[in-house]
Amino acid sequence: MKTVVLTGIRESELRDAPPPTIRRDDEVLIDIAVVGVCGSDVHYFSEGGIGSMRVAYPWTIGHECAGTVVEVGPAVTSLTPGDRVAVDPLIWCGQCDQCLAGRVNTCRNQRFLGNPGETPGAMAEQLIMPAASCCPIPDSVSFVAAALCEPLAIGEHARRLAKLSPDATVAILGAGPIGLCVLLALKAAGVGATYVTDLLDPRLDMARQLGADWTGSPRQEDVVAAISRQQPSGVAAVFECAGQQETIDQGIELLTPGGALMLIGIPEAKEIRINFDIARRREHVVQMVRRQNHTADVAVEMVAGGVDAVQLATHHYSIEQAQQAFETVQQYADGVIKAIIHISGDE
Ligand SMILES: [Zn+2]
Ligand SMILES: [Zn+2]
């Protein structure tokens, strides 16, 4: 089968590899249709790793995928060959204290699709996953929409963790695919005024297209002052999706007393600063958000119900063009929001 492997810094190759085979009774074999390019994939591509997690070459990345089940292990009852599925890229053990407590995203024995050293990624014609990680999609949901359910599930998980009232005012700092998926999830559930910031205009354009009430770029204005003029008492929640000290600082300044700072972005540095003087006096809640937790099927229901995540898929590539897809996303070129690599099929 064809597979895209990283072979060095900013280098990838299309190679032929033996197709994977089902080894455990609960696994299924999937013909991959499409894979989205995630920011994390681009870190592996351009820097050879994220933090202490380093790529050992050659390595296959990719985790935002969808496809068709073609074979199922003997213990699988939830899926049959022919089922179209969205894939939750997390493989959890189901037995540790975290899994038993309903926190599979912090499973102590987890493996994540495409993470270096954990399990090879989805940029290949075929993939093995546990049936529990596959969410069937109705015919009305395209494979592209299904692949976008992965970042949308993260947005929905973050929204749920924030426990907001339906008229809460929020700011989203960083309008890449994750920030935009937070916006989609908030809009779908009901939210008050939404303020979105980013450095890149195409992302702000997309945020307005998705219904943001106000957008602004820190390159052009003091965004804290601009939002504070409209929300003098502060916003109920800030979804920090840029992973920058600057946006974390802005978040603390923007929050109303008792408001929640939702930290979704992944800072490059191991440590970040929180303005304790403000955060303590205003009793802010600081909540880390780790991927998603059983929200993949919720995301599928959302897109089936009309949440239009496909708008985020601005760029499309064939498997032969994977290198170009990685470069485009890495350079934020051509107004790209989400690049989709079509492995098979044309959906
Ligand atoms: Zn991702
Ligand atoms: Zn576990």
Side-chain angles (χ1 to χ4, degrees):
M1 66 164 186
K2 286 190 231 170
T3 178
V4 177
V5 292
L6 298 184
T7 53
I9 299 290
R10 293 198 179 83
E11 284 170 15
S12 68
E13 272 174 32
L14 187 61
R15 287 196 182 165
D16 199 39
T21 50
I22 290 177
R23 293 220 171 85
R24 284 175 34 172
D25 289 356
D26 67 336
E27 291 176 336
V28 302
L29 177 65
I30 302 165
D31 270 355
I32 296 294
V34 302
V35 186
V37 177
C38 175
S40 62
D41 297 325
V42 169
H43 283 292
Y44 297 137
F45 169 73
S46 62
E47 292 143 39
I50 296 176
S52 57
M53 193 175 266
R54 309 311 297 177
V55 175
Y57 301 109
W59 183 249
T60 300
I61 55 173
H63 58 269
E64 300 178 358
C65 62
T68 306
V69 173
V70 289
E71 199 185 320
V72 301
V76 174
T77 53
S78 57
L79 296 166
T80 50
D83 284 348
R84 298 165 69 250
V85 292
V87 172
D88 176 346
L90 179 69
I91 301 170
W92 61 90
C93 79
Q95 275 145 28
C96 72
D97 60 332
Q98 296 299 297
C99 286
L100 294 175
R103 300 177 48 92
V104 295
N105 55 338
T106 52
C107 168
R108 294 179 193 271
N109 308 303
Q110 63 179 272
R111 286 180 299 142
F112 193 81
L113 205 53
N115 266 9
E118 295 186 6
T119 187
M123 285 191 195
E125 287 180 299
Q126 292 195 312
L127 179 74
I128 299 284
M129 283 302 280
S133 300
C134 300
C135 310
I137 55 171
D139 291 343
S140 62
V141 171
S142 69
F143 284 127
V144 172
L148 283 159
C149 284
E150 200 275 331
L152 184 58
I154 296 170
E156 175 63 6
H157 174 55
R159 183 195 73 78
R160 290 180 174 205
L161 275 182
K163 299 189 183 77
L164 297 169
S165 65
D167 60 350
T169 55
V170 304
I172 298 171
L173 309 181
I178 295 295
L180 293 168
C181 281
V182 169
L183 179 60
L184 279 170
L186 287 166
K187 284 277 169 188
V191 67
T194 48
Y195 299 85
V196 179
T197 68
D198 200 278
L199 295 170
L200 303 173
D201 288 337
R203 294 177 169 198
L204 297 176
D205 294 343
M206 180 63 75
R208 281 193 301 279
Q209 192 176 312
L210 301 181
D213 295 290
W214 179 92
T215 62
S217 164
R219 276 199 184 132
Q220 273 136 34
E221 63 189 308
D222 179 340
V223 293
V224 171
I227 297 170
S228 300
R229 270 196 297 278
Q230 296 172 77
Q231 292 293 330
S233 56
V235 297
V238 169
F239 293 85
E240 198 287 324
C241 302
Q244 301 292 328
Q245 182 66 55
E246 186 188 349
T247 35
I248 291 164
D249 292 341
Q250 291 167 354
I252 292 289
E253 285 188 64
L254 286 168
L255 282 173
T256 195
L261 178 64
M262 310 301 291
L263 296 174
I264 308 167
I266 304 173
E268 235 166 74
K270 241 187 208 169
E271 294 176 6
I272 52 145
R273 292 188 318 275
I274 299 283
N275 185 327
F276 212 79
D277 188 47
I278 302 179
R280 182 185 67 80
R281 286 170 205 279
R282 297 185 190 162
E283 203 173 46
H284 289 157
V285 176
V286 177
Q287 173 72 59
M288 307 289 163
V289 183
R290 168 101 163 132
R291 297 189 192 131
Q292 50 163 297
N293 185 11
H294 288 312
T295 42
D297 49 350
V298 181
V300 168
E301 279 170 33
M302 287 165 71
V303 296
V307 172
D308 187 6
V310 174
Q311 297 172 82
L312 304 184
T314 51
H315 288 61
H316 296 266
Y317 299 90
S318 66
I319 189 170
E320 287 78 13
Q321 296 169 315
Q323 172 84 17
Q324 196 187 331
F326 298 150
E327 286 172 358
T328 303
V329 178
Q330 192 234 323
Q331 294 157 10
Y332 305 103
D334 196 31
V336 65
I337 308 271
K338 177 63 73 184
I340 301 284
I341 297 176
H342 294 251
I343 308 277
S344 72
D346 46 15
E347 264 191 281

